[in-house]
Amino acid sequence: MDQIIGFANAVFTPIINMGAAPMMVIILTVIACCFKVKFSEALMGGLKLGIAITGISAVIGLLTTAFSDAMTKFVASTGIQLTITDLGWAPLATITWGSPYTLFFLLIMVLVDIVMIVLDRTNTIDVDVFDIWHLAFVGLACMYFGAPLWVATLLVVFIGILKIMNSDVMRPTFNDLIDAPGNPMTTTHMNYMMNPIIMVFNKFFDRFLPGLDKYDFDAAKLNERVGFWGSKFSIGIYLGIFVGLLAHEDIKSICTLAFTAAVCLELFSLIGTWFIEAIEPLSQGISNFANERLQGRAFNVGLDWPFLAGRAEIWAAANVLAPIMLLESLVLPGNGLLPLGGIIAMGLTPALLVVTRGKMLRMIIIGTIVLPVFLWAGTLVAPFVTQMALQVGAFPSGLTAGQLISDTTMEGPVEKFLAFLLGNGCTNLQYLLFFVLALAAYFLLFMWYRREMQRRNAEDYVKAGICMPDRLVTGSFAAAAGDSDTGTEASPE
């Protein structure tokens, strides 16, 4: 095992150390060249992806910092104390990448993806190497709570397989949301593993409160009706003013916050289109390869989630949920986190968008219901995060010794509880029993959700007036055809 870990570090460390953007430039360029894309075009796509990642990170940092400052002032004005410092996702990514086991888990998941493709169990080529840290975090937490490496690896592989399966069934929804039929972009990002839980509540609304949708509002339609007053600019201004008032800011600070939010929402839309442009050379290369070598088999390209960033619902819901999460954190039993760095709930709102398809009222209500899961998970792993930060030399210098750190909206909160139960279950039979029951519920819920997504995708295919293809996309249209097994998709004529 040590030799495998050493090999993983030798292969990936030089690339990882370059940072997310250069790393993705190299990976996308190399993969495109492997599919016989001209080098200049492959490099162009890789550079565009690196630019998009850098741009989206900068805007996220700007927005998060602005809201974090407002929340800090709110805390100062009320005197409310919660003991765990919320750093947001970026420092936790740095901390996780500081562990050599993260590269080991990366190597394992690369092999898993290749095996699944060869065995025709997925059509997704996962190129989002950087975000493996979310899954690695689960494995590392499992080890912290008491599991040996091989047990943690089994958990990582199990969840990783489900993530890849999920990427296949989500792709038709992504195409619809970005209005790009046939586009191969999808994602294996951990935030979408909240989809099954969100689907339960979404089905509840379908069954018992369908009339709620009559009062829903859509950012795009609102923009068409009222022009600028329904634009992303305006939505940002409204929400910035709301949060500023909550923090008891002065007029100047409220205006700054409002205009910052307005700019960020508009830039998210612009940068989101860069991801689509970046993947075009690889998309064409994959299409050509599939036609020549795999009888037209269509592959999906697993990217980071921000290619959906152009949807205003993500950010509108996140900004509405920000003060809600703050209020919940103040009264939630068992919570030790005050939302600051993770106040913009990026770990939740993309999943809400996919499952509800942008129904804002559902996104906000369901988000309000499930946010406590994130707060509890962040509180649960705080001792682990703090210890790991100290071990890899990434503990924030501005904090006092003994201060716990974590993230309020880190992706994969349910998986953190699985890691806790399995880690403790390695030495405690009662915890092991709880883990088995929790894992069974987790798996069965995912399979139910997957079948619902298959059915929804098939219905959309029929509504579009397109004949069912002979070869079915993995996990997408099998249910409607009476086939629950996997397959592949041929692009409709």
Side-chain angles (χ1 to χ4, degrees):
M1 188 67 74
D2 290 339
Q3 292 178 340
I4 297 176
I5 295 173
F7 174 75
N9 277 274
V11 172
F12 292 109
T13 294
I15 299 177
I16 297 298
N17 288 341
M18 297 178 69
M23 177 176 64
M24 293 309 298
V25 170
I26 294 173
I27 291 172
L28 190 66
T29 302
V30 170
I31 293 177
C33 288
C34 290
F35 283 99
K36 297 184 178 181
V37 176
K38 186 188 299 185
F39 175 76
S40 60
E41 295 179 358
L43 180 61
M44 178 187 67
L47 290 173
K48 285 184 177 180
L49 182 59
I51 292 169
I53 291 173
T54 302
I56 209 74
S57 298
V59 178
I60 288 174
L62 175 63
L63 187 62
T64 301
T65 299
F67 277 84
S68 295
D69 291 343
M71 294 301 103
T72 301
K73 292 181 179 179
F74 172 81
V75 173
S77 66
T78 60
I80 294 173
Q81 296 293 327
L82 291 173
T83 58
I84 304 172
T85 300
D86 175 19
L87 298 180
W89 71 269
L92 267 69
T94 301
I95 291 169
T96 306
W97 277 114
S99 170
Y101 292 106
T102 297
L103 296 173
F104 166 73
F105 291 131
L106 168 59
L107 177 61
I108 292 297
M109 285 313 303
V110 168
L111 296 176
V112 167
D113 190 32
I114 292 173
V115 170
M116 291 181 69
I117 290 172
V118 171
L119 296 180
D120 201 15
R121 308 309 296 180
T122 185
N123 287 329
T124 296
I125 301 173
D126 189 10
V127 303
D128 185 20
V129 176
F130 178 77
D131 282 315
I132 193 67
W133 79 265
H134 294 290
L135 188 54
F137 185 96
V138 175
L140 294 170
C142 188
M143 295 169 63
Y144 169 82
F145 289 121
L149 177 60
W150 70 270
V151 172
T153 302
L154 290 177
L155 180 63
V156 166
V157 170
F158 175 78
I159 297 172
I161 290 173
L162 297 189
K163 286 199 318 123
I164 294 172
M165 293 169 61
N166 192 31
S167 69
D168 286 316
V169 297
M170 288 191 298
R171 204 205 81 182
T173 300
F174 289 140
N175 288 351
D176 179 56
L177 290 172
I178 64 176
D179 194 22
N183 195 291
M185 288 191 301
T186 187
T187 179
T188 61
H189 205 284
M190 183 72 88
N191 54 17
Y192 294 104
M193 293 306 287
M194 283 297 292
N195 287 11
I197 294 176
I198 296 171
M199 180 69 80
V200 171
F201 293 104
N202 197 56
K203 286 294 181 181
F204 175 85
F205 283 111
D206 287 341
R207 180 76 178 272
F208 299 105
L209 295 172
L212 181 67
D213 293 337
K214 293 187 299 183
Y215 306 101
D216 199 29
F217 59 96
D218 178 79
K221 292 181 178 179
L222 183 63
N223 190 38
E224 293 176 1
R225 293 177 180 176
V226 297
F228 173 81
W229 304 109
S231 66
K232 297 180 183 70
F233 283 125
S234 293
I235 292 174
I237 290 174
Y238 305 149
L239 296 173
I241 291 173
F242 177 72
V243 174
L245 291 174
L246 184 70
H248 302 290
E249 298 272 18
D250 57 30
I251 295 298
K252 179 180 178 181
S253 298
I254 291 176
C255 290
T256 299
L257 189 62
F259 285 113
T260 299
V263 169
C264 289
L265 283 182
E266 191 65 31
L267 287 178
F268 279 128
S269 178
L270 174 62
I271 297 173
T273 64
W274 298 353
F275 283 87
I276 299 175
E277 295 176 5
I279 205 66
E280 285 180 357
L282 176 59
S283 173
Q284 187 59 52
I286 290 175
S287 177
N288 295 338
F289 177 85
N291 288 330
E292 294 173 4
R293 302 291 182 86
L294 297 173
Q295 294 78 47
R297 179 178 176 182
F299 285 98
N300 309 324
V301 181
L303 294 174
D304 200 353
W305 73 264
F307 64 82
L308 274 183
R311 295 291 302 212
E313 297 93 337
I314 289 179
W315 308 105
N319 282 281
V320 171
L321 289 173
I324 293 174
M325 178 166 56
L326 175 63
L327 295 175
E328 287 182 339
S329 71
L330 303 179
V331 298
L332 185 66
N335 171 55
L337 270 164
L338 178 71
L340 292 172
I343 191 69
I344 305 300
M346 294 174 295
L348 173 61
T349 52
L352 291 170
L353 173 70
V354 167
V355 176
T356 68
R357 286 185 165 175
K359 296 177 180 178
M360 282 297 302
L361 285 179
R362 293 194 186 201
M363 290 178 68
I364 293 169
I365 295 172
I366 297 174
T368 301
I369 295 171
V370 301
L371 276 175
V373 179
F374 287 83
L375 292 170
W376 282 323
T379 300
L380 176 71
V381 300
F384 159 62
V385 174
T386 305
Q387 183 187 88
M388 186 166 60
L390 292 170
Q391 288 177 346
V392 303
F395 189 82
S397 57
L399 298 180
T400 59
Q403 176 67 52
L404 294 177
I405 58 176
S406 190
D407 178 19
T408 48
T409 54
M410 192 194 320
E411 290 83 343
V414 175
E415 290 74 17
K416 308 299 187 295
F417 287 103
L418 291 177
F420 171 79
L421 292 174
L422 179 57
N424 284 280
C426 291
T427 56
N428 186 307
L429 186 60
Q430 185 177 11
Y431 276 106
L432 183 60
L433 177 60
F434 288 149
F435 169 75
V436 171
L437 295 175
L439 187 69
Y442 180 83
F443 178 71
L444 292 174
L445 181 61
F446 178 85
M447 297 308 293
W448 167 80
Y449 150 79
R450 179 173 177 264
R451 178 52 65 93
E452 291 299 317
M453 289 292 287
Q454 290 173 339
R455 184 175 294 111
R456 189 173 82 171
N457 292 337
E459 290 173 354
D460 290 345
Y461 213 84
V462 172
K463 288 178 182 178
I466 304 173
C467 296
M468 190 71 68
D470 293 332
R471 308 189 71 211
L472 304 173
V473 67
T474 304
S476 293
F477 306 115
D483 181 4
S484 61
D485 202 355
T486 57
T488 53
E489 176 192 31
S491 300
E493 296 292 328

